[in-house]
Amino acid sequence: MGSLTHESLVEYLIEESYELVEAIEHEHSDGELAGELGDVLLQVVLHARLAEESGRFDIADVVASLTGKMIRRNPHVFTPDGGLRQTFPATVDEIVERWHHVKRQEKPERTSVFDGIPAGLPALALAAKTIRRAASGKSVADPGGQGNSQPNHGGTAGPRPLSSDPPTFSNEQELGDYLLQLVRRSTDDGMDPERALRTAVVRFQGRMDL
């Protein structure tokens, strides 16, 4: 594989993943979608091949790991030997709880509800993932710290209270337009909206973990 490394391939994995997202969201033809899926799969194969050349693992190990994980985390679908169950008696809540229970057993070192969320996610995706994860165990009615300004690690004041009458949206187009206006206003004021949201999420995670 020459001079290729896992690190040098990261940019291509990200690029191919975004191209796949574009093909899905823009409803490209089946042929184009299949091609983009193949490009992402190629990145998996390349990383596995690099690992194989250094004696760490190979593509068969990747598949075996995924298969074992799916069987463990979905006992309502699979029998312990990997066969498909004939009936699915579990409720949705039971399925979700079982999934989280198995994950906790697999990774006992994770003590925060936010452990495992990729820090490199774009800020908006990071915020959404954080709120959903927090909602699975704690109340998140006040993610902005409304009515209780908290200090951050730098000793400065926490987020200002949310508006007492925040806007409501009937669809994602309205929400998207509103978010775009926030980005426009913040950039007009010389602020970085990506950094602002990311640091707000980090503050929120810190408060929830106290």
Side-chain angles (χ1 to χ4, degrees):
M1 298 286 285
S3 61
L4 292 180
T5 65
H6 291 296
E7 291 77 13
S8 70
L9 287 172
V10 167
E11 65 174 294
Y12 302 107
L13 175 60
I14 294 173
E15 179 181 345
E16 298 297 355
S17 297
Y18 275 116
E19 289 181 3
L20 173 59
V21 171
E22 180 179 344
I24 293 172
E25 293 184 342
H26 292 266
E27 299 182 343
H28 290 183
S29 68
D30 288 348
E32 290 177 296
L33 179 57
E36 297 300 345
L37 286 167
D39 290 341
V40 172
L41 180 58
L42 174 61
Q43 298 304 309
V44 176
V45 172
L46 288 174
H47 282 280
R49 179 59 180 172
L50 282 174
E52 182 179 3
E53 290 182 349
S54 62
R56 295 158 58 197
F57 59 84
D58 59 18
I59 190 67
D61 295 317
V62 174
V63 174
S65 175
L66 174 60
T67 301
K69 182 188 299 183
M70 294 304 294
I71 292 172
R72 289 193 308 274
R73 295 184 181 180
N74 296 278
H76 60 289
V77 176
F78 301 106
T79 59
D81 63 359
L84 287 175
R85 294 193 182 277
Q86 298 302 310
T87 59
F88 306 94
T91 66
V92 173
D93 287 342
E94 290 172 336
I95 292 170
V96 172
E97 176 53 35
R98 175 63 179 178
W99 177 277
H100 288 302
H101 175 72
V102 173
K103 287 186 70 175
R104 287 193 295 270
Q105 288 184 320
E106 292 174 349
K107 301 181 184 294
E109 71 280 5
R110 293 184 175 179
T111 58
S112 169
V113 69
F114 305 116
D115 285 343
I117 298 179
L121 283 174
L124 196 56
L126 178 64
K129 185 76 171 179
T130 294
I131 295 298
R132 293 191 189 104
R133 187 72 69 83
S136 68
K138 300 177 182 178
S139 171
V140 292
D142 185 21
Q146 184 170 352
N148 183 21
S149 181
Q150 300 283 342
N152 62 18
H153 294 297
T156 58
R160 289 183 296 177
L162 299 174
S163 167
S164 60
D165 187 23
T168 57
F169 311 100
S170 59
N171 55 59
E172 289 186 354
Q173 180 176 338
E174 292 180 1
L175 172 59
D177 289 341
Y178 179 77
L179 291 173
L180 183 59
Q181 287 299 313
L182 285 179
V183 172
R184 181 186 63 80
R185 289 171 56 186
S186 63
T187 53
D188 286 347
D189 290 339
M191 292 181 282
D192 183 341
E194 174 77 11
R195 184 170 61 245
L197 179 56
R198 183 175 297 280
T199 54
V201 171
V202 171
R203 291 197 303 271
F204 172 69
Q205 290 180 347
R207 289 199 305 275
M208 292 292 290
D209 279 338
L210 290 178

